[in-house]
Amino acid sequence: MSTRNYQNAINSLNSLQSNAATIEAVRASGGRLSQFAIPEMVEYLERIGYRTDDLNALKVIHITGTKGKGSTSAFTDSIIRHTRPDWKVGLYTSPHLVAVRERLRINGRPLSEEDFTKYFFEVWDRLQANDSRKLESTPFMPGYFRFVTLMAFHTFLSLGVDATILEVGVGGMYDSTNIVPKPIVTGVTALGIDHVGVLGKTLKEIAWQKGGIYKEGVPAFSVEQPEEGMQVLTERAKELKASEFIITSKLPQIDNIKLGLAGAHQVGNAILAVHLAKTFLLDLDPKSVKDSFPPSFVDGLQSTRWPGRCQTVVDPQHPKLTWYLDGAHTIESLECCIQWFSQPGVGSPSDSTPGPFQRVLIFNTGGGRAGPSFLESVYKQLSLQLSQLGEEPASFFDQAIFCTNVTYADGGFKGDLTAVSLPPDDLAQLRTQHQLADAWSSIVPSFSKERIHVLPSVEHAIRIVHRLATEGESPVKVLVAGSLHLVGGVIEVSNLAEVAL
């Protein structure tokens, strides 16, 4: 490969994406195909020159869960960086919002395009040059997520990080990140129903998958869970011989801290992050934790930033326009999103923002997710919240926009946002978006069809919002939810990257 620049790296990486047929095969298998993931991932790791034991040098905090795992990872990363500012701290998360470089951060900053390109091709070339496959099931090149995970391991080892916060992609037991033999500590955030085709349809099945990150001799944490989920996690910790299993409880010190991430649900994530960071630091650097709740922990929690999660962004080009970005994509996380957005001073009137203003919902869901049931949850939570404020839920939103995650009006994606996993027929016919629009009309019969928009791209949706902000006199508040890919597209098309990321 002659051209070695960032765009070429992105194009090469996108060639590793699974198409819709492959994803459907995994779903149809009931997740059985995932069971080959760990031995195959180990083979790929060996092909780029590492053994699994080498990964212990990363000093890993391993985090999974259905909702809040990204936020918990961000809180944990911030606490450790504020406690040991002299350390080099690696953070690996997914998905990204605008640029794939966001998935690999050093000391809070995404890799530069230059560094991303360098480490990308080092891994790419090693895989291309070494075909020492032993398993018949192993494809020559890994899929997209596997490759980026391999790249994260290689990058962080090459840079000699002092700590690594490693967020699971999907599940835990068979996730590509789950080949680190001995992390320093592991944690599970709130469980819920998601990725049922791979993880299972019940909370027990999902808890079994998530608990798969627990390791022998390693402390295992979990937030409070529904009884059936907690029972399985407790059993998994015992089965996998975790050194201890701890259920996080309230921390009074948190009550007086203004967390860097908005939303009442972030308190539980922050508490888990405190436990994970403290356990980690007591193991590796006990002198840095001289009291039960060091000032550096407070600074870390207050300074945490995690774009696209209950995030408020004033549009720099349209001062009357404010974006409320939340990539919530499960029923539980959407309920938290609506709790946040419907608060006075956020999406509802308050003394400081009395109104009137226009409210717009931009919504989409990823493939295979039950979009209409998500909208039912949105409206149910909205009704519950607004009943306390004396506001009518049916008239809360002035416009409802259901668009695809395609970035631009010409049908093209920004390179880093390219997705080949969507069935072409669904995209062409806007099948998912029409289902969502029909569901919204059914849930809110009084909502005028003229105010419901089914659109083929994010750019089409932004045009409507900009027109409202330009032609109307009242401020416009836009809630973007249902998909992190959608949020990323909005940030890209609206030129919000400088203020949002």
Side-chain angles (χ1 to χ4, degrees):
M1 194 173 295
S2 56
T3 307
R4 294 297 172 104
N5 57 34
Y6 179 71
Q7 192 53 55
N8 191 258
I10 295 305
N11 292 340
S12 299
L13 179 60
N14 285 337
S15 74
L16 303 178
Q17 286 193 46
S18 300
N19 61 24
T22 302
I23 291 173
E24 188 53 42
V26 174
R27 287 182 181 140
S29 76
R32 289 188 301 277
L33 295 181
S34 296
Q35 295 178 27
F36 299 109
I38 296 302
E40 290 177 1
M41 190 66 181
V42 170
E43 275 205 355
Y44 288 126
L45 185 74
E46 291 171 348
R47 282 173 57 193
I48 65 170
Y50 299 106
R51 295 172 295 110
T52 53
D53 284 348
D54 295 332
L55 302 181
N56 289 334
L58 294 172
K59 304 179 192 68
V60 167
I61 298 173
H62 205 187
I63 300 172
T64 190
T66 305
K67 60 174 185 171
K69 59 188 172 79
S71 299
T72 301
S73 298
F75 276 129
T76 307
D77 170 71
S78 185
I79 292 169
I80 290 174
R81 286 191 289 110
H82 280 80
T83 304
R84 286 302 306 263
D86 57 317
W87 277 5
K88 190 178 290 182
V89 181
L91 173 64
Y92 178 58
T93 60
S94 59
H96 58 275
L97 289 177
V98 173
V100 68
R101 302 180 293 110
E102 299 163 30
R103 297 182 182 221
L104 289 80
R105 295 174 185 260
I106 298 293
N107 292 340
R109 295 181 176 276
L111 285 187
S112 66
E113 290 191 0
E114 182 180 359
D115 284 343
F116 184 94
T117 303
K118 166 180 158 56
Y119 293 117
F120 176 90
F121 282 114
E122 286 177 359
V123 173
W124 182 275
D125 290 346
R126 291 183 190 187
L127 288 168
Q128 291 283 331
N130 181 6
D131 185 9
S132 56
R133 287 175 290 174
K134 303 180 186 68
L135 298 171
E136 291 184 7
S137 63
T138 310
F140 175 56
M141 289 296 283
Y144 186 105
F145 182 75
R146 285 179 174 181
F147 187 97
V148 182
T149 303
L150 289 165
M151 185 181 158
F153 290 148
H154 171 61
T155 301
F156 293 166
L157 285 167
S158 300
L159 293 173
V161 296
D162 299 288
T164 299
I165 294 86
L166 190 63
E167 182 200 359
V168 163
V170 174
M173 181 66 186
Y174 303 122
D175 188 71
S176 302
T177 63
N178 201 29
I179 61 171
V180 180
K182 193 147 188 175
I184 306 300
V185 62
T186 58
V188 177
T189 66
L191 297 175
I193 305 298
D194 194 20
H195 300 291
V196 294
V198 177
L199 303 181
K201 297 179 181 179
T202 68
L203 207 60
K204 283 187 173 183
E205 291 175 297
I206 289 170
W208 187 90
Q209 295 276 359
K210 306 290 185 183
I213 70 165
Y214 293 156
K215 298 287 185 297
E216 182 174 354
V218 177
F221 285 85
S222 173
V223 301
E224 288 280 358
Q225 306 283 5
E227 185 177 350
E228 56 183 331
M230 186 60 80
Q231 180 185 346
V232 173
L233 288 180
T234 304
E235 292 168 354
R236 291 291 270 159
K238 184 177 180 181
E239 171 196 350
L240 297 170
K241 300 179 181 178
S243 60
E244 55 185 335
F245 179 64
I246 300 168
I247 302 168
T248 58
S249 56
K250 288 185 177 180
L251 291 173
Q253 299 94 327
I254 295 276
D255 296 340
N256 300 317
I257 298 173
K258 182 174 171 52
L259 299 175
L261 303 184
H265 60 288
Q266 293 293 359
V267 173
N269 297 329
I271 290 171
L272 177 58
V274 167
H275 283 282
L276 294 174
K278 190 172 184 179
T279 302
F280 181 88
L281 290 164
L282 284 172
D283 186 299
L284 295 181
D285 183 29
K287 292 180 181 178
S288 67
V289 190
K290 293 179 180 177
D291 55 50
S292 61
F293 208 98
S296 61
F297 281 36
V298 177
D299 294 340
L301 291 170
Q302 290 176 332
S303 303
T304 302
R305 298 291 178 267
W306 199 231
R309 285 79 170 177
C310 291
Q311 182 183 18
T312 303
V313 180
V314 177
D315 195 303
Q317 297 170 314
H318 300 83
K320 291 190 299 183
L321 172 59
T322 305
W323 299 93
Y324 298 85
L325 310 173
D326 192 23
H329 54 274
T330 68
I331 286 176
E332 295 87 353
S333 56
L334 281 166
E335 288 173 351
C336 293
C337 168
I338 294 301
Q339 287 174 15
W340 163 66
F341 183 68
S342 60
Q343 291 178 94
V346 184
S348 293
S350 68
D351 292 339
S352 58
T353 55
F357 36 73
Q358 298 181 76
R359 284 175 290 222
V360 180
L361 172 66
I362 300 181
F363 192 87
N364 190 31
T365 58
R369 291 200 170 96
S373 66
F374 286 4
L375 287 177
E376 287 178 14
S377 294
V378 165
Y379 192 72
K380 184 178 179 181
Q381 188 64 42
L382 196 58
S383 301
L384 182 64
Q385 295 294 119
L386 296 183
S387 65
Q388 304 167 22
L389 302 172
E391 195 169 350
E392 175 56 48
S395 57
F396 185 78
F397 288 108
D398 298 284
Q399 307 281 338
I401 299 174
F402 303 102
C403 67
T404 71
N405 292 343
V406 173
T407 316
Y408 300 115
D410 64 4
F413 285 91
K414 178 180 186 288
D416 296 71
L417 298 175
T418 299
V420 301
S421 60
L422 301 172
D425 288 347
D426 281 10
L427 271 181
Q429 299 168 20
L430 303 179
R431 189 173 297 157
T432 297
Q433 290 66 42
H434 280 295
Q435 288 174 349
L436 291 170
D438 291 344
W440 188 253
S441 291
S442 175
I443 294 164
V444 197
S446 61
F447 204 93
S448 166
K449 283 189 166 51
E450 287 73 32
R451 294 186 289 127
I452 298 176
H453 311 270
V454 171
L455 301 172
S457 76
V458 173
E459 187 174 3
H460 282 94
I462 301 302
R463 287 174 182 171
I464 289 179
V465 170
H466 283 173
R467 189 165 68 245
L468 290 171
T470 304
E471 296 175 358
E473 294 184 5
S474 57
V476 179
K477 293 174 176 277
V478 185
L479 175 63
V480 184
S483 163
L484 278 166
H485 299 287
L486 173 64
V487 169
V490 167
I491 291 173
E492 169 66 21
V493 176
S494 299
N495 296 312
L496 300 178
E498 286 192 15
V499 289
L501 300 180

